[in-house]
Amino acid sequence: MSHEHNHQEGKHQHTDTKAHSHAAGESAEHSCSGDHDHGHDHGHSHGHNHGHNHGHNHGHNHGHDHDHGHLGHHHHFDMSGNKTGLFIALIITAGIMVLEFVGGLVTNSLALLSDSGHMLSDVSALILSLVAVWFAARPASAVRTYGFHRFEILAALFNGVTLVVISVFIIWEAIGRLFDPPSVASGSMMLIAAVGLLANLASAWALLRKGDVHNNLNVRSAYLHVLGDALGSVGAVLAGLLIYLFDWNIADPIISIIVAVLIVKSAWSVLKHTVHILMEGTPANLDEKEVRSALGGLEGVVDVHDLHIWTITSGLDSLSCHLQVADGMDCQKVLQAAIALIEERFGIRHSTIQVESSRIRHMELQV
C-alpha cells in the first residue's frame, strides 16, 4: 500500500513539474540538466503543500523571484509618507492660491496673478497626485495584473503638461505687457508674494520631509509644481522691489517670462521621463549592454536574447529574457544565479527568465 502511494505521489509531482517547465524552456522529455530522474523519486521531504505554494526545492520558479509575490504585493514602499506630504502641501497651496489671486486683482500685478495661476495648477496637481497614490495602493487583479501603478506615471505626465501650458500662457500675456506695462501696487504685491513664498517653502518642506521626491515620479512632479510657485513668488517679490525702488513697471512682465521659462525647463525633464516610461524604455539608471554582458558571463550561458528591461512605476523595474545554456548544464542552477545577479547587481526584483537548451526553437520578437 505504501509503495502504491509513493508511486501515485511521484506521478502527481512529475505531472506538476511538467506543467510548469515550459516557462523555464524545458520539458519533461528534454530537460537541459541531468536531473530528470527526480520526477520519479522526489523523496517526500517537502510534503504535499507544494500544490499550494509551488515551493519546489528543485526549481521551476520561472525566474519570477516568488518571494516578493506577484499580484501587486512586491512593493516595499511606504506610501503613507507620500500621502501625508501631498495632503499638507495641498492645504497650504489652496489657501495661498486664493490670497494671491485676490491680491493680483487688487494690485493689478501679472506676477501675482501668474503665481496664483501656478497655484491653481498646483492644487490640481496635488489632488491628482493624491488620487494616483490611492489608486497605486489598490491590489492587482486578473484584469490588471500590475495593478494601478501606472496611474502615478499618467498623473506625472498630466502635471508636466499643465506646467508647460500655464507657462506658455504667462509668457504670451507677459509679451503683451512688455509694450504697455501697467501700473502695479508694488508694496502690496511684495507683501502678498512674500506670504506666498513662505507657504510654498512650507509645502516643499512637507513633500521633502514626508514624501519620496527623488524616486517617485508622481510626487516629484507635484514637488516641481510647488517649487515653480516658490520661484514665481521670488520673482514677484523681486519685481515689486524693482518697481518700488526704480518705478520699473516693465520688471513685472520681464521677471514673469524668466520664471515661466525656468518652470518649462523643469517640466520638460518630467515629461521626458514619463514618456520614456510609457514607451517601455530602459530605465535611465541601467545599461542594457551591461546587463546583457553580465548575464552572458554566467557559467553555462551560451546566448542571451529577447532581453527587455522597463519601468512599471517609480522604483519598480522589470526584466525579461531568454538564456540559452549549454546542453547538460543544470538549468535551475543557472536560473538561480541569473535571478541573484539581476537583483543584487542591478536592483531588479521582478525578473522573468526563460532558460533554454539547444533543442528549443521559437520565433524571435520582431521589433
Side-chain angles (χ1 to χ4, degrees):
M1 187 71 179
S2 174
H3 173 75
E4 181 178 354
H5 171 75
N6 289 342
H7 179 67
Q8 293 298 323
E9 178 73 15
K11 286 179 65 180
H12 169 70
Q13 294 190 23
H14 179 66
T15 302
D16 181 76
T17 300
K18 187 173 181 180
H20 288 79
S21 63
H22 68 278
E26 55 182 325
S27 68
E29 296 180 358
H30 298 294
S31 173
C32 55
S33 64
D35 58 357
H36 168 62
D37 59 351
H38 74 276
H40 296 285
D41 187 20
H42 287 293
H44 303 288
S45 62
H46 55 280
H48 284 283
N49 63 353
H50 72 279
H52 301 286
N53 61 15
H54 298 284
H56 297 232
N57 292 333
H58 50 273
H60 302 294
N61 60 5
H62 302 203
H64 285 304
D65 199 9
H66 282 187
D67 64 319
H68 59 268
H70 235 340
L71 291 179
H73 302 293
H74 45 265
H75 280 279
H76 302 284
F77 309 122
D78 181 13
M79 293 299 181
S80 61
N82 289 337
K83 288 180 182 178
T84 303
L86 288 168
F87 184 74
I88 294 173
L90 173 61
I91 297 301
I92 296 172
T93 304
I96 301 303
M97 175 194 71
V98 176
L99 175 65
E100 289 203 341
F101 179 73
V102 174
L105 293 177
V106 172
T107 63
N108 197 28
S109 169
L110 176 62
L112 275 182
L113 287 174
S114 65
D115 203 27
S116 68
H118 280 302
M119 288 283 191
L120 177 60
S121 71
D122 283 352
V123 170
S124 302
L126 290 167
I127 291 174
L128 182 60
S129 293
L130 275 170
V131 172
V133 169
W134 178 78
F135 263 103
R138 296 183 64 186
S141 65
V143 177
R144 294 180 178 86
T145 56
Y146 278 126
F148 290 84
H149 294 297
R150 273 290 169 86
F151 196 88
E152 288 189 299
I153 305 303
L154 294 175
L157 177 65
F158 179 80
N159 286 341
V161 170
T162 56
L163 275 174
V164 173
V165 169
I166 291 175
S167 297
V168 169
F169 173 78
I170 290 171
I171 291 172
W172 177 264
E173 183 68 19
I175 290 174
R177 290 198 175 196
L178 283 174
F179 302 101
D180 186 22
S183 178
V184 176
S186 57
S188 301
M189 172 183 171
M190 285 190 291
L191 178 62
I192 296 172
V195 174
L197 175 60
L198 292 176
N200 288 321
L201 292 177
S203 298
W205 180 85
L207 289 173
L208 272 174
R209 183 79 173 176
K210 301 291 186 179
D212 185 7
V213 300
H214 299 292
N215 301 312
N216 188 292
L217 194 59
N218 175 39
V219 178
R220 183 184 167 199
S221 67
Y223 177 69
L224 283 178
H225 267 271
V226 173
L227 280 188
D229 276 337
L231 190 59
S233 295
V234 170
V237 170
L238 180 58
L241 185 61
L242 291 173
I243 294 170
Y244 180 78
L245 293 177
F246 306 104
D247 200 26
W248 291 349
N249 289 316
I250 198 172
D252 185 50
I254 289 176
I255 290 179
S256 297
I257 292 174
I258 294 173
V259 169
V261 169
L262 292 175
I263 293 172
V264 167
K265 184 179 179 182
S266 298
W268 183 249
S269 67
V270 172
L271 289 175
K272 282 177 60 180
H273 197 172
T274 54
V275 171
H276 185 72
I277 290 176
L278 293 174
M279 292 297 292
E280 307 288 359
T282 301
N285 62 319
L286 294 174
D287 184 342
E288 189 267 355
K289 292 181 180 179
E290 183 181 354
V291 176
R292 184 183 296 273
S293 175
L295 288 171
L298 291 173
E299 181 182 1
V301 174
V302 176
D303 182 51
V304 180
H305 52 279
D306 280 355
L307 173 62
H308 304 281
I309 314 170
W310 69 100
T311 299
I312 298 171
T313 190
S314 300
L316 179 59
D317 298 329
S318 289
L319 175 147
S320 68
C321 71
H322 294 198
L323 299 181
Q324 182 184 339
V325 302
D327 293 338
M329 287 293 298
D330 185 342
C331 286
Q332 301 306 306
K333 183 178 179 180
V334 175
L335 175 60
Q336 187 60 69
I339 292 172
L341 171 70
I342 293 302
E343 180 174 351
E344 294 169 8
R345 181 169 171 181
F346 300 103
I348 301 176
R349 298 199 63 210
H350 190 279
S351 58
T352 305
I353 301 172
Q354 178 166 309
V355 183
E356 306 169 345
S357 70
S358 62
R359 301 182 181 91
I360 300 299
R361 296 288 182 269
H362 61 80
M363 292 290 293
E364 294 292 332
L365 177 64
Q366 301 297 318
V367 293

